[in-house]
Amino acid sequence: MSTTPHVVITREPTGNVIAEGGDELAVTLLKRAGFVIETTPRSFWYRLPWDMGEERENQMASHAARMLTAVGYQVELDADLDVNRITTPTDPRGKRVYGHQILSLTDQLNGAGSYTGAASLVQHIVDPEDGVLVRLGEFFEAAAVQANVADTDDGWHLSHLCEDAAATLTSLAEDMRDAGLQMQRLGPPWKRSWQEGVATYYATAPRPRTGATPDVAEPSVTPPNTPRPGRSR
């Protein structure tokens, strides 16, 4: 299985942003994105003009990558050049692109302002034809085939694991196929986010009992009025 990208866009240690690979159409798109040609007697490549500043270079490199990807090229873009890349503390270079796309969808769901909006986001996951669950099932089916090709005990074991994962996802997709519609039917639009809902819950929830009984004040004892001893006449 080849993983060689069609086009590589990277920043050199000198600071130059260069692009290599591709064919005639890729070259045309790179030129349109602002790259200029550099040649030597034995090779050629493309670079962005000098003295543009890193921020502008990153924007142009990201734009070129989007153009190339849109027409089917596989593009390897340096993480430091990608202005659209999502990063996390566990993936500071943003290499887990597809996981971050789901993370972005989760963030949108957390901030949804209505059940209709939430339902639309849920549908991206549970759609029976093109939802994430269905596509993940297909992914593990393909992984099972690839593992089986190894024709070894480890390969067969991994293939069975992937087949089980695919079956689980297929079943889950079937169970969840109407989740978007059910979400939409939950009620009228709401305006607060889930964070606000949690905050409201804790602000209004009754305080738990500690089991201690309140102190009972003991009744005061007033001594009876007794006559003072006096002189008798």
Side-chain angles (χ1 to χ4, degrees), residues 5 7-9 11 24 41 43 54 152 163 166 175 198 209-210:
V7 180
V8 177
I9 304 176
R11 185 185 295 278
E24 186 175 350
S43 64
E54 286 193 5
T152 63
E163 288 173 353
D175 292 341
V198 171
R209 295 183 178 181
T210 61

Side-chain angles (χ1 to χ4, degrees), residues 35-148:
F35 282 77
V36 296
I37 190 170
E38 283 281 353
T39 61
T40 68
R42 295 185 177 181
S43 64
F44 67 92
W45 66 95
Y46 290 84
R47 64 168 175 82
L48 287 177
W50 295 316
D51 301 326
M52 299 179 61
E54 286 193 5
E55 182 177 356
R56 180 58 179 158
E57 289 171 346
N58 294 348
Q59 292 172 351
M60 294 180 68
S62 296
H63 176 61
R66 287 196 300 271
M67 291 175 62
L68 291 163
T69 302
V71 296
Y73 288 99
Q74 184 179 352
V75 181
E76 182 178 310
L77 177 65
D78 262 8
D80 294 338
L81 294 172
D82 193 348
V83 297
N84 302 307
R85 185 163 301 198
I86 301 173
T87 62
T88 65
T90 53
D91 184 20
R93 294 183 63 82
K95 293 183 177 181
R96 301 293 179 247
V97 177
Y98 304 110
H100 293 322
Q101 290 178 357
I102 300 300
L103 177 62
S104 176
L105 194 64
T106 302
D107 289 341
Q108 293 178 58
L109 180 60
N110 286 335
S114 69
Y115 285 112
T116 299
S120 176
L121 296 167
V122 169
Q123 200 63 25
H124 283 283
I125 304 297
V126 303
D127 185 272
E129 302 297 333
D130 296 293
V132 172
L133 291 177
V134 170
R135 296 307 184 202
L136 274 177
E138 294 172 352
F139 176 87
F140 279 105
E141 288 174 355
V145 172
Q146 293 291 348
N148 201 38

Side-chain angles (χ1 to χ4, degrees), residues 173-190:
E174 183 63 28
D175 292 341
M176 297 294 294
R177 62 184 301 154
D178 295 327
L181 183 60
Q182 293 174 22
M183 177 71 77
Q184 189 171 8
R185 290 174 176 172
L186 284 179
W190 80 89

